[in-house]
């Protein structure tokens, strides 16, 4: 499985947690949405799951355009990739839940991210995550597909 983590300082911490617990996972880190788009546009990269961390956005106030750019790109190039957005801010969580719209996408609002949640996020289906973290998931109007 190929996991892409798009995030700032916390991306390497998340990668370390995942690497220590999963031997068969290929993990690539990008510091920003722009870096992710530029690199994956230039070459063919297969991605199973994208973990988008709020700290990948340098301008917390001006993130809307960048989130929309990310969503447009992923919807065109990585249609079947699971996209999990981890949010520290309620406004950001609400916006991403409305902007990143796919049955395979999920925005989760977390105050403190724990190791077990990270492991679940990278290994469980979107449907299971919706049920397991029902109080943290920011709900959208998109119907989910049953994943196998």
């Amino acid at each position: 499985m190929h996991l892409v983590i798009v995030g700032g300082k916390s991306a390497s911490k998340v990668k370390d947690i995942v690497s220590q617990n999963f031997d068969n996972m290929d993990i690539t880190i990008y510091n920003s949405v722009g870096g992710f788009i530029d690199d994956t546009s230039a070459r063919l990269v297969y991605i199973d799951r994208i973990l988008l961390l709020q700290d990948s956005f340098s301008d917390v106030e001006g993130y809307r355009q960048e989130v929309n750019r990310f969503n447009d790109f992923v919807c065109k190039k990585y249609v079947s990739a699971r996209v999990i957005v981890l949010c520290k801010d309620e406004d950001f969580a609400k916006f991403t839940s409305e902007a990143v719209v796919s049955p395979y996408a999920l925005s989760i609002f977390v105050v403190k991210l724990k190791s077990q949640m990270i492991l679940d996020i990278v290994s469980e289906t979107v449907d299971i995550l919706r049920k397991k973290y029902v109080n943290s998931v920011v709900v959208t109007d998109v119907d989910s597909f049953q994943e196998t």
Side-chain angles (χ1 to χ4, degrees):
M1 174 161 127
H2 186 201
L3 169 68
V4 167
I5 303 170
V6 183
K9 294 181 244 175
S10 58
S12 59
K13 294 175 190 174
V14 171
K15 179 182 179 180
D16 291 343
I17 292 168
V18 174
S19 296
Q20 292 169 4
N21 290 277
F22 295 103
D23 294 331
N24 62 343
M25 198 164 299
D26 181 25
I27 304 169
T28 306
I29 292 179
Y30 295 97
N31 292 324
S32 67
V33 169
F36 164 71
I37 292 173
D38 292 345
D39 187 53
T40 56
S41 293
R43 56 193 184 98
L44 180 62
V45 179
Y46 182 79
I47 298 172
D48 296 292
R49 187 168 298 227
I50 302 168
L51 180 55
L52 180 62
L53 307 175
Q54 184 173 339
D55 70 353
S56 65
F57 299 94
S58 55
D59 181 10
V60 178
E61 297 300 316
Y63 58 78
R64 294 175 186 274
Q65 183 177 3
E66 208 169 353
V67 169
N68 287 327
R69 182 175 170 225
F70 169 82
N71 184 59
D72 291 345
F73 178 76
V74 169
C75 285
K76 288 178 186 160
K77 187 155 184 180
Y78 296 106
V79 179
S80 64
R82 286 15 179 201
V83 179
I84 311 298
V85 184
L86 284 180
C87 312
K88 300 182 284 187
D89 176 80
E90 287 185 71
D91 291 335
F92 183 81
K94 185 175 184 325
F95 177 75
T96 58
S97 72
E98 295 168 357
V100 183
V101 180
S102 164
Y104 298 130
L106 189 64
S107 290
I108 301 175
F109 171 67
V110 289
V111 176
K112 182 164 172 74
L113 187 59
K114 298 189 178 181
S115 296
Q116 185 56 52
M117 186 178 210
I118 292 170
L119 298 176
D120 289 343
I121 286 169
V122 301
S123 63
E124 298 290 357
T125 67
V126 171
D127 287 332
I128 289 174
L129 292 172
R130 282 185 210 279
K131 293 172 187 164
K132 190 167 190 172
Y133 296 103
V134 69
N135 293 328
S136 300
V137 171
V138 182
V139 179
T140 61
D141 292 334
V142 176
D143 293 329
S144 64
F145 294 138
Q146 288 293 347
E147 296 181 67
T148 56

